[in-house]
Amino acid sequence: MIVAYKLWHGYWIRFPKHTKFSLGSKIDSLFLETAEQLFIASHKTKEQKIYYLEKASERFDLLKFILQISWEIGSIDIKKYIALSEKLSEIGKMLGGWQKQTKTP
């Protein structure tokens, strides 16, 4: 998550001014909220983890959606969008695996 956020942060500082403080700020918040939920989940019991992983997953899905919107309106170019999407895809697989492992009896 840290690697993806560092990549995003480098892109965000160069976001167009007209979307930097709307879409850009929302994406930044969602990155941090997702990381926060994952951090909290890592310190909980197996039963408690489920709630925090679901919250992280919700934030993560919204992050991907808002990022796609920013690409579609031209606030982020295709190369940067692809680079971020690849990192987010890896994170999504890990998050899904963690959720599956946590829900298994």
Side-chain angles (χ1 to χ4, degrees):
M1 189 76 187
I2 294 171
V3 173
Y5 182 75
K6 285 173 61 177
L7 184 61
W8 157 249
H9 195 265
Y11 297 161
W12 184 45
I13 59 175
R14 292 174 183 81
F15 236 55
K17 191 174 185 176
H18 67 280
T19 57
K20 184 174 189 170
F21 299 106
S22 55
L23 286 176
S25 291
K26 184 63 177 177
I27 293 167
D28 197 66
S29 282
L30 290 167
F31 256 114
L32 295 174
E33 290 171 23
T34 302
E36 178 182 18
Q37 296 302 318
L38 293 173
F39 178 81
I40 293 170
S42 72
H43 292 84
K44 298 293 181 182
T45 66
K46 186 174 181 177
E47 294 77 28
Q48 294 171 323
K49 283 183 195 302
I50 294 169
Y51 171 79
Y52 292 99
L53 292 176
E54 287 177 0
K55 290 282 283 184
S57 183
E58 290 170 3
R59 302 280 85 193
F60 187 69
D61 288 343
L62 187 54
L63 163 64
K64 293 185 296 182
F65 176 70
I66 302 295
L67 185 63
Q68 181 179 354
I69 290 172
S70 71
W71 168 68
E72 288 183 9
I73 66 168
S75 292
I76 189 168
D77 68 49
I78 188 69
K79 288 182 182 180
K80 292 175 182 174
Y81 178 72
I82 290 171
L84 270 173
S85 293
E86 288 171 351
K87 298 291 183 199
L88 294 177
S89 178
E90 293 172 24
I91 293 167
K93 289 175 187 174
M94 288 187 277
L95 177 56
W98 196 8
Q99 283 181 295
K100 186 177 179 180
Q101 176 188 14
T102 304
K103 290 181 181 179
T104 325

